Amino acid sequence: MATSTEGWKAKLDKALYEQNAVTDVLKMIEEKTKVKRTYLVMGVAGLIAIWLVFGYAAAFISSFLGFVYPAYCSIKAIESTEKDDDTQWLTYWTVYSAFGMVEFFSDIFLSWFPFYYLFKMILLIWCMAPISNNGANVLYHRVLKPFFLKHEREIEDAMNKATEFASSTLDEVWKGMSQAKEAASEHVADLAAQQVKDAMKAQSAPETNEPPPQPESTFEEDPDHQD
């Protein structure tokens, strides 16, 4: 047990003393506080663990911490020329996605268990741990890979059907949008043509300056009437 603990501590120290942006921040804090970065990280981990048990927004914090560091390491893996780190983080994201799907349908029940988000954070840390038998490798090779190989044909058939359905739906939507666009264009063209016709008709109408005719008087003047 002591040997295992020392091995973990040695691997943690190695990771904390690598040259990157995170360790640069830890170095600056270490120089100002005179506290070793290993103890700083362990202290922050302890505070996070307490917060996940008693604090607010534990679900968001556990998911956020399970995403940030792996995303950073994945970017480094993409930019590197080695293949092992690519496989490592692809495995992690596969397990992380599968865990997210399971959690989506069971979170309403699991979230009521005490210390659930703390155990979730421990699981994610185990999955992203820089060791050969981390949680991502164990869960992938013992759970996900056998399940996939057993149901590979059914999964591919379902994916093909979903792809065909999505393609046909998009085609129908695009066709409907094209028809609506053509109808709108024709309607606008008809309105413009009608406006042009009305303008030409108004310009071709004859203009007259004659005063309007006066109504005839019905009063008959008496010839015998003298002023």
Side-chain angles (χ1 to χ4, degrees), residues 78-202:
I78 293 172
E79 297 300 326
S80 69
T81 57
E82 298 180 1
K83 183 181 178 181
D84 294 338
D85 52 0
D86 297 347
T87 304
Q88 174 189 352
W89 293 111
L90 279 173
T91 305
Y92 173 84
W93 289 116
T94 303
V95 174
Y96 183 85
S97 301
F99 178 77
M101 290 295 297
V102 174
E103 186 183 34
F104 177 80
F105 293 103
S106 59
D107 182 63
I108 189 173
F109 305 107
L110 295 177
S111 59
W112 288 97
F113 283 87
F115 313 117
Y116 166 68
Y117 293 110
L118 176 60
F119 288 128
K120 175 184 175 180
M121 190 70 254
I122 293 173
L123 174 64
L124 293 176
I125 291 174
W126 179 44
C127 288
M128 69 178 76
I131 56 177
S132 58
N133 288 327
N134 60 17
N137 281 327
V138 172
L139 293 174
Y140 175 77
H141 289 288
R142 293 187 180 181
V143 180
L144 294 180
K145 184 178 178 180
F147 178 83
F148 176 77
L149 294 177
K150 182 179 179 180
H151 301 281
E152 182 177 4
R153 184 177 296 276
E154 292 86 348
I155 294 173
E156 289 185 353
D157 291 340
M159 293 295 294
N160 291 332
K161 291 180 181 179
T163 302
E164 292 176 358
F165 175 77
S167 178
S168 61
T169 302
L170 289 175
D171 289 339
E172 291 296 328
V173 172
W174 181 255
K175 183 178 179 181
M177 291 177 62
S178 299
Q179 292 177 350
K181 182 179 178 181
E182 291 177 0
S185 300
E186 292 177 357
H187 181 66
V188 171
D190 292 340
L191 288 177
Q194 185 63 38
Q195 291 179 356
V196 171
K197 289 180 180 179
D198 294 341
M200 294 177 65
K201 185 182 295 184

